């Protein structure tokens, strides 16, 4: 939202404001935030679904190393970016086609929402992949940590003599 708002103020007010006139940022513009929630969720789902289908990746993407993780993600990213760019372009064109309307508030809303869609695409393509990779590494770390703890408990002959956990009221 802040990225699109900055672009709106810079582009619309400075460049286009002289042609169309000064249209204030109104409550109608806030509807664009709810519109972009749906579009953003769709883009997030497309990328996450491509990541969840990484088991279909070619055999050279297999492995547990960081390089294999990178190759798997590149494979998923290339699959998802095509669908995301088509839907984003369609949405931007749809909102910009509304600028032919003679009502200045609708023109302003269309430009602002098109900027929201573009900012959403940029952020989904840059920030969401890093969140997916961080989650994957975090999940791998904790899976390995749990496996190590289970192995230690299995190897420890005194594991059954340890003190039981405390109850809710504390030790009484």
């Amino acid at each position: 939202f802040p990225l699109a708002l900055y672009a709106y103020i810079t582009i619309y007010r400075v460049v286009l404001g002289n042609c169309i006139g000064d249209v204030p940022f109104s409550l109608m513009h806030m509807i664009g935030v709810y519109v972009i929630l749906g579009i953003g969720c769709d883009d997030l789902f497309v990328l996450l679904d491509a990541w969840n289908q990484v088991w279909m990746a070619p055999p050279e993407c297999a492995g547990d190393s960081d390089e294999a993780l990178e190759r798997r993600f590149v494979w998923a990213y290339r699959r998802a970016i095509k669908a995301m760019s088509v839907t984003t372009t369609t949405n931007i064109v749809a909102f910009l086609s509304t600028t032919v309307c003679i009502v200045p508030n609708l023109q302003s809303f269309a430009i602002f929402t098109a900027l929201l869609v573009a900012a959403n695409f940029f952020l989904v393509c840059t920030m969401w992949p890093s969140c997916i990779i961080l989650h994957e590494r975090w999940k791998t770390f904790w899976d390995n940590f749990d496996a190590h703890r289970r192995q230690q408990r299995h190897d420890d002959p005194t594991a059954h003599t340890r003190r039981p956990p405390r109850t809710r009221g504390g030790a009484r």
Side-chain angles (χ1 to χ4, degrees), residues 31-42 113 116-121:
I31 295 171
V33 175
Y34 293 104
V35 170
I36 202 62
L37 285 174
I39 295 170
C41 288
D42 179 51
T113 309
L116 274 175
V117 172
N120 170 63
F121 181 71

Side-chain angles (χ1 to χ4, degrees), residues 31-107:
I31 295 171
V33 175
Y34 293 104
V35 170
I36 202 62
L37 285 174
I39 295 170
C41 288
D42 179 51
D43 287 346
L44 296 178
F45 173 76
V46 167
L47 187 55
L48 191 59
D49 191 47
W51 175 249
N52 288 334
Q53 293 176 4
V54 79
W55 58 271
M56 294 179 356
E60 62 265 8
C61 295
D64 291 331
S65 66
D66 284 342
E67 292 84 21
L69 178 66
E70 182 180 338
R71 284 191 302 269
R72 285 194 310 267
F73 192 79
V74 166
W75 182 85
Y77 192 78
R78 285 184 180 159
R79 286 188 59 164
I81 198 75
K82 294 173 190 173
M84 289 174 12
S85 61
V86 167
T87 58
T88 298
T89 304
T90 304
N91 288 328
I92 289 173
V93 168
F95 283 114
L96 288 180
S97 68
T98 310
T99 58
V100 298
C101 180
I102 61 170
V103 179
N105 285 339
L106 288 178
Q107 290 175 339

Side-chain angles (χ1 to χ4, degrees), residues 1-33:
F1 178 74
L3 185 62
L5 184 60
Y6 175 76
Y8 169 77
I9 290 171
T10 304
I11 294 171
Y12 188 78
R13 295 257 172 126
V14 174
V15 178
L16 298 175
N18 295 333
C19 301
I20 300 174
D22 192 24
V23 177
F25 190 82
S26 66
L27 186 60
M28 181 187 291
H29 291 81
M30 295 307 294
I31 295 171
V33 175

